[in-house]
Amino acid sequence: MIYQIYPRSFKDNNSDGIGDLQGIISKLDYIKNLGVDAVWLNPIFSSPNDDNGYDVSDYRNIMSEFGTMQDFDELLQGMHKRGLKLILDLVANHTSDEHEWFKQSRSSRDNPYRNYYHWWAAEKGKPAKRYSFFDVESNAWKYDEQTNAYYLHYFSIKQPDLNWENPKVRQEIYDIMRFWFDKGVDGFRMDVIPFISKDTNFPELPEKYHGDFIRYYADGPHLHEYLHEMYREVLSKYNVMSVAEGVGVKTNTAMDFVDPERNELNMLYHFDAIDIGYLPDVYKTIDPKGYDLIEFKEIYSKWNDLFGDKGWGTIYLCNHDRPRMVTRWGNDSDEFRELSSKMLTTFLFTMRATPFYYNGDELGMTNIKFDRIDDYRDIETINMYKQIEASGGDLQQFIEAQKLSARDNSRTPFQWNDTLHAGFTSGVPWIKVNPNYTTINAEQQEKDDNSCLNYFKKLIKLRKQTSTLIYGKYTLLDKNNMKVYAYTRELNDHKILVLLNFSKDDAQANVDLKVANAKRLICNYTDVPLRNDAITLRPYEAVVYEL
Ligand code: ISL
Ligand code: CA
């Protein structure tokens, strides 16, 4: 069970309004008490923070806002002392433009670092279109006067893509990995790792991708050669784990990353499920009408089946790139917030996959739903706003839509208690604190046996004690039910039934199993209803039976 911490927003220890390593250190007992096994930290390396640390200017140093290498060593030690593993975020597809390699590279065409990045000489004409996620014109080529050439940036103009086709670049990255592994780090989450290999002829997008740049980016010519090389040279030499951010990876290509016989990576997390329910024609905008549970079940079942015999899956409902779990997949109204948050947590911890759980979701934290563009800090949202502004689009509609969709919704400060700024900082927080901290906060939930937090802890314990919940075979039941997600988990003769009502109405689960005498392992309602064999679930009810 992996707990993801967004360091910028977790706990500020020196009152500058920005979370830091000492802040995390001060909360290690909280983390340990959750019962999780490992912590994944979003990037903590030196960075000018154009994209909150995903633009690294020095891979061997700690971002000054987060602390020092001494703080890092203390953090790692504190975690290991408590039996917690530490996973860092390897951002290797691109660096910051302020990284020394890029400064050298852009200085002249014959600089020894020139080939560390992708350059297109302007006298060859305009390069073929490449799509950029974080560019006001969505253009991944940026013209650089100094050498009359374009450089490639799949993300912002301050995030030039490294040239992995250059063996020197690969060795640099492997060295960086060794540096952290030698310190005792337990693994890496690998940022957009499927994008590293590129066809350096930069042809027009091949037709077979049907204009889908993401899939094209994730399908580079030497990708698996490099991942295998990385395994051979680095990963195989340490007792560590690796997980790819599997952007652009589908069920037909996933096994190439994680088939143990291929010796590449341990796990990946896919986007198939997190990407459902977006409006078809508006970029990255979630449909306020909700999502289709049948599709949701199909996708999770398909990915489960893929890893039935080999490989191993992951599961998540939120991270720093997505809105809050309860707002997105549940119901954040006063009436249903707690119930639906617990129901979703039950889902994450009863599936056959390693859960990646995002900090704050254990409290049922919700989207902040900013009213003004000035409240946003995320380069993605700000750029989209500029784009719409430039094209004369409807800005008010955009702001409305971002209340559901924007990444900053999950990046607001962790709500520790009901004192000023939720106990996150005594300074001015870098991004606003959700005003609901007075009612949703860790301190209060620790005291309440029925809180989201305590439910989360009970579930983790249950999963740990029950190998059927970890390894048992998964079987989907009642697949056409639009409101209920029902499945069994089975190991040897042990069978567990999970029933989840994803709707705000009572709903019937049509499963041919008798639960009248079954033992209830956990339920998100405290009172036990009278039940017969026709199983009726209350709004957002989650119940797990041992059959
Ligand atoms: O953010 C997204 C959805 O809102 C994705 O399109 C995202 O850009 C993609 O998943 C890659 O994400 C990763 O790399 C980015 C960084 O901004 C994200 O925070 C990171 O998770 C660039 O390094
Ligand atoms: Ca700080």
Side-chain angles (χ1 to χ4, degrees):
M1 281 162 288
I2 295 169
Y3 184 65
Q4 181 191 349
I5 291 181
Y6 198 65
R8 211 174 175 77
S9 299
F10 196 62
K11 174 72 186 159
D12 173 23
N13 196 60
N14 64 350
S15 308
D16 66 352
I18 298 172
D20 45 47
L21 300 187
Q22 281 300 334
I24 301 174
I25 291 169
S26 73
K27 295 296 181 186
L28 282 177
D29 288 330
Y30 172 85
I31 298 163
K32 176 66 189 169
N33 279 329
L34 293 174
V36 299
D37 302 303
V39 170
W40 151 31
L41 291 185
N42 288 100
I44 54 168
F45 316 107
S46 301
S47 166
N49 282 304
D50 190 47
D51 182 21
N52 288 3
Y54 283 97
D55 47 325
V56 179
S57 53
D58 181 355
Y59 290 92
R60 289 183 176 80
N61 261 311
I62 302 297
M63 189 191 299
S64 52
E65 292 170 330
F66 287 176
T68 62
M69 193 58 89
Q70 220 178 335
D71 295 327
F72 175 81
D73 292 338
E74 192 184 329
L75 174 65
L76 183 61
Q77 219 180 27
M79 293 190 65
H80 283 170
K81 205 176 77 193
R82 290 170 178 81
L84 292 164
K85 306 268 190 200
L86 179 58
I87 294 155
L88 294 186
D89 207 318
L90 183 70
V91 191
N93 174 70
H94 44 267
T95 69
S96 162
D97 66 338
E98 296 180 37
H99 193 292
E100 187 54 34
W101 301 335
F102 190 73
K103 288 190 197 160
Q104 296 281 335
S105 186
R106 91 192 310 179
S107 67
S108 78
R109 286 191 179 188
D110 53 15
N111 186 282
Y113 288 93
R114 186 67 171 178
N115 286 328
Y116 271 46
Y117 297 85
H118 296 287
W119 290 97
W120 181 272
E123 63 270 17
K124 293 200 289 180
K126 270 201 168 174
K129 179 173 167 66
R130 285 296 179 269
Y131 166 82
S132 166
F133 291 84
F134 302 159
D135 186 77
V136 185
E137 277 149 21
S138 303
N139 178 6
W141 291 108
K142 169 80 180 155
Y143 178 72
D144 203 41
E145 226 157 52
Q146 208 165 341
T147 57
N148 187 37
Y150 298 86
Y151 66 84
L152 184 72
H153 63 95
Y154 282 178
F155 295 91
S156 89
I157 52 171
K158 286 183 66 63
Q159 293 170 294
D161 283 49
L162 280 167
N163 177 10
W164 276 69
E165 314 309 318
N166 178 353
K168 277 198 198 142
V169 167
R170 304 203 296 275
Q171 288 308 323
E172 297 268 17
I173 298 293
Y174 303 158
D175 269 348
I176 290 162
M177 293 172 73
R178 288 184 199 105
F179 172 83
W180 290 101
F181 287 149
D182 287 339
K183 272 185 167 290
V185 163
D186 302 292
F188 277 116
R189 173 265 187 188
M190 300 184 181
D191 189 58
V192 291
I193 198 80
F195 290 1
I196 53 176
S197 174
K198 278 133 191 152
D199 178 345
T200 52
N201 295 317
F202 295 105
E204 293 293 337
L205 187 76
E207 202 142 310
K208 70 170 187 177
Y209 294 97
H210 302 292
D212 185 348
F213 272 106
I214 299 184
R215 218 156 41 83
Y216 174 68
Y217 287 174
D219 211 8
H222 305 288
L223 165 64
H224 290 288
E225 218 173 284
Y226 301 157
L227 291 179
H228 182 66
E229 179 183 81
M230 179 196 276
Y231 175 85
R232 215 178 47 231
E233 297 207 11
V234 191
L235 295 170
S236 62
K237 307 247 158 65
Y238 298 87
N239 180 22
V240 292
M241 68 81 89
S242 53
V243 56
E245 184 197 18
V247 57
V249 182
K250 302 287 164 186
T251 44
N252 63 332
T253 50
M255 208 46 97
D256 294 345
F257 290 79
V258 299
D259 182 342
E261 277 158 33
R262 291 174 56 93
N263 290 324
E264 294 187 15
L265 304 176
N266 298 131
M267 295 185 283
L268 65 86
Y269 64 87
H270 64 80
F271 283 51
D272 273 2
I274 206 85
D275 276 347
I276 70 172
Y278 280 83
L279 291 171
D281 301 318
V282 205
Y283 176 71
K284 279 212 53 202
T285 302
I286 295 165
D287 187 344
K289 289 203 207 74
Y291 57 95
D292 177 359
L293 185 66
I294 295 182
E295 184 188 2
F296 183 94
K297 294 193 280 188
E298 263 167 21
I299 293 172
Y300 281 106
S301 301
K302 187 172 79 175
W303 278 89
N304 172 80
D305 296 350
L306 181 69
F307 301 119
D309 301 324
K310 60 178 177 179
W312 185 254
T314 61
I315 195 158
Y316 68 108
L317 288 171
C318 180
N319 61 35
H320 64 292
D321 289 336
R322 302 288 169 162
R324 280 285 168 193
M325 173 175 86
V326 72
T327 304
R328 166 75 154 106
W329 303 104
N331 183 328
D332 66 7
S333 70
D334 287 348
E335 191 178 3
F336 295 124
R337 185 185 60 81
E338 287 188 44
L339 281 170
S340 65
S341 170
K342 290 172 186 169
M343 185 277 290
L344 295 166
T345 301
T346 315
F347 168 63
L348 289 172
F349 286 128
T350 55
M351 288 290 283
R352 186 175 177 276
T354 293
F356 282 66
Y357 202 95
Y358 187 65
N359 61 186
D361 280 347
E362 74 273 29
L363 308 177
M365 278 177 63
T366 64
N367 276 16
I368 188 160
K369 307 179 186 176
F370 288 133
D371 284 317
R372 301 168 340 129
I373 189 67
D374 296 346
D375 287 331
Y376 282 100
R377 298 289 175 266
D378 181 12
I379 180 173
E380 180 178 61
T381 311
I382 294 168
N383 275 348
M384 288 193 292
Y385 186 90
K386 285 185 191 155
Q387 222 169 48
I388 292 165
E389 198 170 37
S391 66
D394 188 337
L395 290 168
Q396 201 43 47
Q397 191 187 3
F398 173 76
I399 292 291
E400 275 314 303
Q402 293 309 304
K403 292 181 183 178
L404 179 54
S405 310
R407 306 200 290 185
D408 275 344
N409 282 301
S410 65
R411 298 179 178 183
T412 63
F414 193 95
Q415 292 164 207
W416 292 106
N417 56 43
D418 63 6
T419 66
L420 185 67
H421 305 315
F424 162 70
T425 181
S426 50
V428 181
W430 72 277
I431 188 169
K432 278 187 181 162
V433 176
N434 194 317
N436 65 17
Y437 75 89
T438 49
T439 48
I440 305 174
N441 64 69
E443 193 178 281
Q444 193 189 60
Q445 294 198 21
E446 265 166 352
K447 289 183 265 186
D448 173 4
D449 199 42
N450 293 320
S451 63
C452 291
L453 178 61
N454 279 316
Y455 185 84
F456 168 94
K457 290 182 188 176
K458 279 179 217 159
L459 253 178
I460 288 207
K461 274 204 196 98
L462 177 66
R463 185 176 169 98
K464 286 211 161 157
Q465 290 160 359
T466 320
S467 39
T468 306
L469 282 179
I470 304 171
Y471 302 108
K473 180 171 140 45
Y474 157 95
T475 310
L476 175 66
L477 308 174
D478 198 10
K479 106 183 201 299
N480 294 320
N481 194 322
M482 288 159 68
K483 293 182 173 166
V484 175
Y485 196 163
Y487 46 94
T488 53
R489 303 291 312 278
E490 268 171 280
L491 190 68
N492 305 320
D493 288 335
H494 192 222
K495 192 163 176 175
I496 285 175
L497 171 67
V498 181
L499 299 173
L500 308 167
N501 182 357
F502 273 69
S503 82
K504 61 180 189 323
D505 315 308
D506 284 347
Q508 194 86 16
N510 308 305
V511 295
D512 228 357
L513 294 163
K514 300 209 186 316
V515 297
N517 299 316
K519 181 173 167 200
R520 246 172 28 139
L521 296 177
I522 198 160
C523 178
N524 62 347
Y525 278 77
T526 43
D527 52 322
V528 188
L530 281 176
R531 283 220 169 94
N532 48 33
D533 279 352
I535 306 169
T536 304
L537 297 167
R538 290 164 286 181
Y540 297 107
E541 181 162 6
V543 55
V544 180
Y545 288 111
E546 186 172 52
L547 296 176

